[in-house]
Amino acid sequence: MTALGVTFDSHAGGIEVDHLLASAAFPIAFPPVSIDGRVYVDAGVSANLPIEPLCEGSNPQDVLCLALDLVTAHGKVPRSLDDAVGRAHDLIFASQSRHALQRVMRSNTSASSGRIAIVYLSYDGSGREIGGKSLEFSTHSIQRRWAAGKADMQKALASLADLPTSPGCSIHHLRGGSFFEPA
């Protein structure tokens, strides 16, 4: 977990409840969390898909990372102010994710590193989200998001045997039940 430039790592110091609360402390909706005198908020504000630590240093083990994005870069042309707010939200966060994926692909993984396979899944909301969806936590919305995430994850896990592997780092999107590597 990364919180505004700080990585909370279970292998280096452990993860406690305050670390989890800090990583979910989205401003306005949830209060910031203080850990060792420093105040943290949800890293999604500045690093929506914090995957860069995967390629830092030398790790001789193979890694499978399931990178889950709660927004999508793909969507319809807005037809109302609420639609425009929602698309702007999606594009801001999806751009952060796209840039993080590009940085990981450009990073120099060491020759002693194992294979790093990133399976990237993004939630699209199917046009049923409101513009201010990042602050919308109704029971119905949460249940719909959980069901969509569960369905996407089941497809991804069922398809892992077909995941192409290669040395170094690779990113795979799941679409229509099969993996593809983005251009």
Side-chain angles (χ1 to χ4, degrees):
M1 265 181 277
T2 301
L4 294 179
V6 174
T7 300
F8 299 143
D9 186 346
S10 61
H11 295 290
I15 303 278
E16 297 179 11
V17 172
D18 282 346
H19 296 101
L20 297 173
L21 291 171
S23 70
F26 193 77
I28 300 172
F30 302 104
V33 175
S34 178
I35 300 173
D36 297 327
R38 184 167 176 184
V39 177
Y40 295 94
V41 298
D42 182 348
V45 173
S46 65
N48 193 45
L49 196 64
I51 58 175
E52 286 92 342
L54 284 174
C55 296
E56 293 173 354
S58 175
N59 183 1
Q61 299 178 351
D62 290 345
V63 174
L64 171 63
C65 173
L66 302 174
L68 311 175
D69 208 345
L70 301 179
V71 297
T72 183
H74 306 287
K76 297 177 183 174
V77 174
R79 297 184 187 228
S80 69
L81 180 58
D82 190 58
D83 289 348
V85 168
R87 282 304 296 143
H89 175 271
D90 287 346
L91 293 172
I92 288 167
F93 287 107
S95 292
Q96 286 183 30
S97 299
R98 186 182 76 246
H99 293 154
L101 291 166
Q102 289 170 345
R103 283 189 301 273
V104 164
M105 288 307 294
R106 284 192 308 263
S107 71
N108 294 324
T109 52
S110 136
S112 63
S113 292
R115 292 174 295 193
I116 300 171
I118 299 172
V119 175
Y120 176 74
L121 302 170
S122 65
Y123 171 72
D124 70 6
S126 299
R128 298 175 297 194
E129 302 283 336
I130 64 168
K133 60 187 157 195
S134 62
L135 299 173
E136 207 275 282
F137 299 105
S138 70
T139 301
H140 178 71
S141 291
I142 297 299
Q143 288 173 342
R144 186 178 62 247
R145 293 173 191 162
W146 274 79
K150 181 179 179 181
D152 286 346
M153 187 55 67
Q154 286 173 332
K155 288 177 193 172
L157 293 173
S159 301
L160 283 180
D162 301 327
L163 184 69
T165 59
S166 57
C169 184
S170 58
I171 299 173
H172 310 275
H173 293 243
L174 182 67
R175 187 168 295 147
S178 60
F179 289 107
F180 72 95
E181 293 188 40

